Amino acid sequence: AAAFDRQDIDMALLNFPDPPARLASIPVLKDRYVGIARRGHPAFKGKTLTAAAYAALPHLLFSPRGDPHGFVDELLTRVTGRKRRVAMTIPHVLAVPAIIARTDLVSIISERIARLYATALDLILFEPPIKLPDFTISMLTNAARASDPSLQWLQEQVMMVCKSIGNTGDRLRFPHGGA
C-alpha cells in the first residue's frame, strides 16, 4: 500500500485479501495452490505423499519479502504437527518452476503458474497433503485516482485479459499423487 501512497505504482495484481480502504480492489481471477516437482522426482515414484513424507522433502519457498516461513508452514504445523524443511527461499515466483525442474526441491505455487510451465519444464503437479485455501487475485489501484482516464483504460485492458484467461473453478484430479 505504501508504494501506491508514494505513487511508485498505479496498479498491482495480487492476492491481497483485506486491502486498506484507500485502495480500490477488483477481483479478477480465482486460483488455488498446488504442489510441483520435477518429473521423475524419487518421492513420487508410485507412492502416495503423506504429510510426514511431504514435510521431510526439501522445499523451495516463494517469499517476496524473504520470510523464512509462509502460510503453508503455519497450516502444516497446525494440522499435522509437522514442520516442512525449507531449503531455499526466493523472492520471484516465476523462477520457482525453473528451479524445481532442475532439482529435487518441491514447492507450492498457484495452479495457473504451475500449469503454464508444467509441459515445457516437465513438471508434475500434486495435491498437497493438507487442504490449502483457494485465493483471489485482485486488481488494486489508488481509490483517489479512480476517475483518471488513463488508469481506467489500463483497468479495462487488464479486465479483458483476465476474462480471456477465465477462472479455474473446477478441482483438478491428480492420478497417483501427480499429473
Side-chain angles (χ1 to χ4, degrees):
F4 286 103
D5 296 340
R6 292 188 309 268
Q7 296 185 355
D8 290 343
I9 60 174
D10 294 317
M11 176 185 291
L13 295 170
L14 59 132
N15 175 17
F16 195 167
D18 297 309
R22 66 185 185 276
L23 298 182
S25 177
I26 302 169
V28 293
L29 293 170
K30 294 193 181 306
D31 207 344
R32 69 187 197 108
Y33 295 103
V34 296
I36 62 170
R38 70 171 175 82
R39 188 167 309 284
H41 191 293
F44 297 91
K45 301 256 182 187
K47 305 173 198 168
T48 300
L49 192 63
T50 65
Y54 171 77
L57 292 171
H59 291 258
L60 171 58
L61 172 64
F62 158 63
S63 174
R65 293 177 193 88
D67 298 328
H69 304 288
F71 78 96
V72 173
D73 300 288
E74 295 167 18
L75 280 171
L76 185 66
T77 301
R78 188 171 65 234
V79 172
T80 70
R82 300 191 179 281
K83 292 186 179 194
R84 67 179 175 161
R85 187 166 60 100
V86 175
M88 179 186 283
T89 302
I90 62 168
H92 305 290
V93 71
L94 294 181
V96 171
I99 294 168
I100 294 298
R102 291 166 180 79
T103 67
D104 278 343
L105 298 172
V106 297
S107 192
I108 300 292
I109 64 171
S110 137
E111 182 178 15
R112 288 178 185 279
I113 294 172
R115 291 213 172 272
L116 183 63
Y117 291 97
T119 301
L121 296 176
D122 205 18
L123 301 172
I124 61 167
L125 280 61
F126 65 90
E127 288 288 349
I130 57 170
K131 169 86 171 106
L132 299 176
D134 293 347
F135 63 96
T136 299
I137 300 295
S138 296
M139 177 171 44
L140 299 172
T141 58
N142 189 321
R145 293 194 52 216
S147 62
D148 180 326
S150 60
L151 189 56
Q152 289 175 344
W153 176 86
L154 183 58
Q155 288 174 313
E156 290 169 8
Q157 302 309 303
V158 170
M159 290 300 293
M160 284 190 329
V161 170
C162 291
K163 284 180 183 173
S164 74
I165 293 170
N167 282 313
T168 57
D170 297 330
R171 283 276 189 227
L172 298 176
R173 306 268 184 246
F174 298 115
H176 310 295

